[in-house]
């Protein structure tokens, strides 16, 4: 049985007790719900891979209550410190070399000599991390390859019975995963667009190299970034200019007419609002499909700017050929 905990003092205390005992607890952050484990325990971290049925080669993000704690485990360069000062707590994960003596399980790095660290901007998550003292490794709290959860119910839908508890802190305000930057080499590289825009990052540290990993399948620098990821059950058709009765429509701005079902990401064509609703929308249309006999999700075009880049990244992965 998976316990559903309130995001209050008692709920957080219970979550901490479970995590300290090596159990898995899902918790809300500003981006998506994470599936947390004591990052210093090999056994607890291994449990994450089992619960998610995640391929073992995919490294996890390590969560901290503040930048000082994060930089005790990795070697931070000047750029990392500037970014932390500007954007932490917030939706930015930085991959940096593991510091000698770092007690985080090697499983979290999945064979890399770097560790991705982040300080989430979320009261419940920060309260949990402060009480835990040790870092918490947490991938998104979904089965591997599925859409990330942005509510406690989404977590339960995928992982009930496989994890000890979920703290229900309501819907995640950003709705997309953190931006992942590799700062372990001389030049910074964007590994995953996300909740913090590349424009904001470049305003602080200058040019950041983009690596388009959407079509790569070989040795990935960030192994989680497989072409097909964030996949709903239905096939996905991008940049729809019209829609058919047998299709569900994911609408951006005023919806096209004629779809079998519609989910509105944002009536006002607001990118931030659309990001917050993206994963809930894909899930909702999957659910509608079963009862309405729909065969595909048609997606209206989303502008490639600001957080729209991260939305389009997730949509392209959702539309990519499935393995
Ligand atoms: O917003 C988020 O980042 C959420 C919340 C829970 O914090 N977490 C999340 O974790 O999305 P996950 O495991 O679903 O995605 C982590 C991504 C993967 O693409 C993984 O390959 C990459 O970060 N990553 C983790 N550690 C890395 C490392 N040391 N070097 C390169 N990439 C890394
Ligand atoms: Mg994920």
């Amino acid at each position: 049985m998976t316990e559903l905990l309130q995001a209050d003092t008692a709920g957080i205390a219970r979550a901490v007790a479970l995590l300290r005992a090596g159990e898995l607890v899902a918790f809300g952050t500003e981006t998506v719900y994470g599936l947390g484990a004591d990052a210093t325990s090999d056994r607890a971290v291994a449990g994450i891979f089992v619960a998610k049925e995640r391929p073992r080669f995919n490294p996890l993000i390590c969560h901290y209550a503040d930048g000082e704690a994060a930089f005790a485990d990795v070697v931070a360069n000047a750029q990392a410190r500037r970014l932390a000062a500007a954007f932490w707590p917030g939706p930015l994960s930085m991959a940096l070399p593991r510091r000698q003596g770092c007690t985080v399980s090697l499983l979290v790095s999945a064979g890399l000599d770097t560790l991705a660290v982040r300080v989430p901007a979320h009261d419940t998550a920060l309260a949990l991390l402060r009480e835990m003292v040790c870092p918490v490794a947490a991938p998104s709290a979904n089965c591997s390859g599925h859409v990330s959860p942005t509510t406690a119910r989404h977590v339960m839908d995928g992982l009930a019975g496989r994890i000890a508890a979920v703290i229900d802190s309501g819907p995640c305000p950003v709705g997309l995963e953190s931006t992942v930057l590799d700062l372990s080499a001389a030049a910074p590289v964007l590994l995953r667009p996300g909740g913090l825009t590349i424009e904001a990052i470049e305003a602080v540290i200058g040019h950041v190299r983009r690596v388009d990993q959407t079509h790569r399948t070989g040795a990935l620098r960030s192994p989680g970034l497989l072409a097909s990821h964030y996949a709903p059950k239905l096939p996905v058709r991008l940049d729809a200019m019209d829609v058919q009765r047998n299709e569900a429509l994911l609408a951006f701005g005023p919806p096209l007419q004629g779809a079998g079902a519609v989910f509105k990401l944002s009536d006002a064509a607001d990118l931030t609002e659309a990001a917050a609703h993206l994963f809930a929308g894909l899930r909702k249309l999957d659910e509608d499909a079963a009862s309405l006999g729909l065969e595909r999700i048609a997606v209206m075009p989303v502008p490639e700017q600001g957080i729209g880049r991260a939305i389009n990244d997730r949509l392209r992965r959702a539309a990519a050929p499935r393995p």
Side-chain angles (χ1 to χ4, degrees):
M1 262 295 290
T2 299
E3 296 174 36
L4 189 61
L5 304 173
Q6 302 290 309
D8 56 15
T9 313
I12 289 166
R14 174 72 183 145
V16 167
L18 288 166
L19 286 168
R20 290 221 176 103
E23 301 282 347
L24 304 181
V25 177
F27 60 98
T29 75
E30 81 279 35
T31 58
V32 299
Y33 273 72
L35 178 56
D38 175 348
T40 63
S41 159
D42 290 332
R43 209 180 54 81
V45 173
I48 291 179
F49 293 94
V50 175
K52 285 193 59 136
E53 297 177 9
R54 172 180 256 202
R56 186 96 6 147
F57 51 72
N58 196 351
L60 309 174
I61 294 171
C62 215
H63 296 70
Y64 296 83
D66 54 57
E68 197 184 333
F71 292 156
D73 280 340
V74 290
V75 182
N77 55 24
Q79 289 178 322
R81 290 188 187 280
R82 290 222 298 282
L83 290 171
F87 301 120
W88 275 354
L92 172 67
S93 298
M94 298 192 260
L96 290 161
R98 291 172 67 103
R99 202 181 274 283
Q100 215 174 9
C102 168
T103 57
V104 171
S105 165
L106 289 170
L107 263 183
V108 175
S109 296
L112 303 173
D113 49 17
T114 57
L115 181 67
V117 295
R118 129 168 161 89
V119 179
H122 192 280
D123 289 347
T124 308
L126 287 174
L128 180 77
L129 292 165
R130 274 193 293 268
E131 274 208 47
M132 269 303 281
V133 184
C134 72
V136 173
S140 51
N142 51 280
C143 288
S144 199
H146 291 192
V147 174
S148 292
T150 54
T151 66
R153 191 178 72 84
H154 294 163
V155 177
M156 283 294 200
D157 286 348
L159 297 176
R162 295 169 173 233
I163 63 177
V166 184
I167 308 177
D168 185 355
S169 55
C172 302
V174 174
L176 283 181
E177 298 87 346
S178 62
T179 302
V180 182
L181 269 191
D182 185 350
L183 291 165
S184 64
V189 180
L190 175 71
L191 296 178
R192 177 177 75 182
L196 181 66
T197 65
I198 191 71
E199 291 91 338
I201 292 169
E202 290 188 326
V204 174
I205 58 166
H207 181 69
V208 172
R209 200 152 61 84
R210 282 85 162 150
V211 181
D212 181 15
Q213 292 180 314
T214 314
H215 302 291
R216 288 177 56 187
T217 48
L220 295 180
R221 184 132 182 210
S222 187
L225 305 183
L226 300 170
S228 168
H229 208 67
Y230 309 101
K233 296 192 194 86
L234 290 177
V236 174
R237 177 168 75 87
L238 298 179
D239 294 323
M241 306 304 284
D242 51 38
V243 64
Q244 288 149 25
R245 279 280 1 129
N246 68 346
E247 290 182 314
L249 179 70
L250 193 63
F252 181 77
L256 296 166
Q257 298 300 305
V262 177
F263 184 94
K264 297 182 191 178
L265 287 175
S266 167
D267 255 340
D270 177 84
L271 286 170
T272 304
E273 185 187 22
H277 296 153
L278 176 65
F279 291 142
L282 291 172
R283 283 171 187 266
K284 177 69 169 57
L285 293 178
D286 260 348
E287 281 169 22
D288 292 349
S291 50
L292 300 171
L294 303 172
E295 287 165 21
R296 192 166 45 233
I297 297 175
V299 184
M300 290 172 63
V302 174
E304 186 75 10
Q305 67 193 47
I307 203 170
R309 293 183 206 277
I311 296 174
N312 284 323
D313 171 80
R314 303 306 185 272
L315 287 170
R316 281 192 291 269
R317 290 174 203 283
R322 314 284 166 90

